[in-house]
Amino acid sequence: MYWDNRGCAGCGKENTIKNSLLCSDCQTWRKFYGWNLHQRGLYRYNEAMKEYMQRYKFNGDYRLRMVFQYEFSKVVNEQEADLIVPIPVTLGTMQTRGFNQVIGLLREVPYQPLLRTKTSSKVAQSSKTKEERLTTKQPFILISPEKVINKRVLLVGDVYTTGRTLYHAAVLFKQAGCKEIGSVSLAR
């Protein structure tokens, strides 16, 4: 299902809190950071998307990038951003899988690889519980922080689950002095 934007103003999740623009997760992020990452996902993460991600991302069927590549790239390119930054994969993942699933979804998108991972984590985010994800330490390093000063940055990911990964990245850009930060993911 294409994203309908009627959910939480912060992440797009179905908002069950009456008289609030933000879901409970985004309210927690706001209390923790004092700001929210404005995130939009194109599709809901349902059983069909879970199966797609299993085949594309974990089984390494790189041809499947083309299923969503055109529409995803179009939405990313339509965002008002000075810099488009994909979420990186670890060196171990790159060696095992052979590709970054986010970059694979980008077709003719001028992105900047300004993030890299600190270490090769042994445990994938997808296999962690919500509590384990939320307590993950900062996994990224911002390359060339001077390039982001007063820029509008768009982070690009594959699946927004808890937001932990994107908030880790966003914090680095905020600390470096970017003007605005938002994110787009294939699924939420």
Side-chain angles (χ1 to χ4, degrees):
M1 176 180 164
Y2 191 74
W3 200 253
D4 59 20
N5 289 328
R6 288 183 288 183
C8 170
C11 70
K13 177 181 174 181
E14 183 180 343
N15 191 0
T16 58
I17 301 175
K18 292 185 189 243
N19 302 321
S20 176
L21 294 175
L22 298 175
C23 69
S24 60
D25 290 346
C26 285
Q27 287 179 18
T28 300
W29 289 124
R30 177 159 289 200
K31 285 178 190 170
F32 192 75
Y33 289 117
W35 50 270
N36 281 104
L37 181 63
H38 297 289
Q39 152 67 26
R40 284 296 166 244
L42 268 67
Y43 296 95
R44 296 210 184 273
Y45 189 76
N46 56 21
E47 283 303 313
M49 187 59 76
K50 183 177 180 179
E51 184 179 325
Y52 168 81
M53 284 295 170
Q54 178 64 43
R55 290 180 55 205
Y56 171 54
K57 185 173 170 178
F58 300 110
N59 296 351
D61 190 345
Y62 191 61
R63 296 169 299 170
L64 286 175
R65 75 191 185 285
M66 293 183 280
V67 171
F68 296 110
Q69 196 178 55
Y70 174 78
E71 187 171 10
F72 188 67
S73 295
K74 182 179 176 216
V75 169
V76 169
N77 275 325
E78 289 172 349
Q79 304 306 303
E80 294 180 9
D82 301 313
L83 299 169
I84 297 168
V85 181
I87 296 297
V89 296
T90 64
L91 180 60
T93 297
M94 186 58 87
Q95 290 172 340
T96 303
R97 187 182 303 150
F99 65 94
N100 176 326
Q101 73 279 0
V102 176
I103 293 173
L105 291 168
L106 299 174
R107 181 172 175 256
E108 299 178 17
V109 174
Y111 66 86
Q112 299 290 316
L114 295 176
L115 289 173
R116 72 174 173 86
T117 57
K118 287 182 179 178
T119 59
S120 181
S121 175
K122 303 274 188 229
V123 181
Q125 282 287 90
S126 59
S127 66
K128 293 179 182 178
T129 65
K130 181 177 181 177
E131 290 74 25
E132 290 170 330
R133 287 174 189 238
L134 293 174
T135 59
T136 302
K137 291 185 170 49
Q138 176 61 267
F140 302 122
I141 295 170
L142 179 59
I143 303 164
S144 304
E146 69 281 357
K147 289 183 178 181
V148 308
I149 297 171
N150 290 322
K151 301 288 185 187
R152 295 171 301 173
V153 175
L154 180 69
L155 298 171
V156 183
D158 57 355
V159 177
Y160 182 107
T161 308
T162 62
R164 178 73 272 177
T165 299
L166 288 166
Y167 272 94
H168 272 312
V171 164
L172 295 177
F173 286 96
K174 285 274 197 180
Q175 290 171 344
C178 79
K179 181 168 48 175
E180 290 177 29
I181 189 141
S183 66
V184 172
S185 62
L186 180 62
R188 169 63 171 111

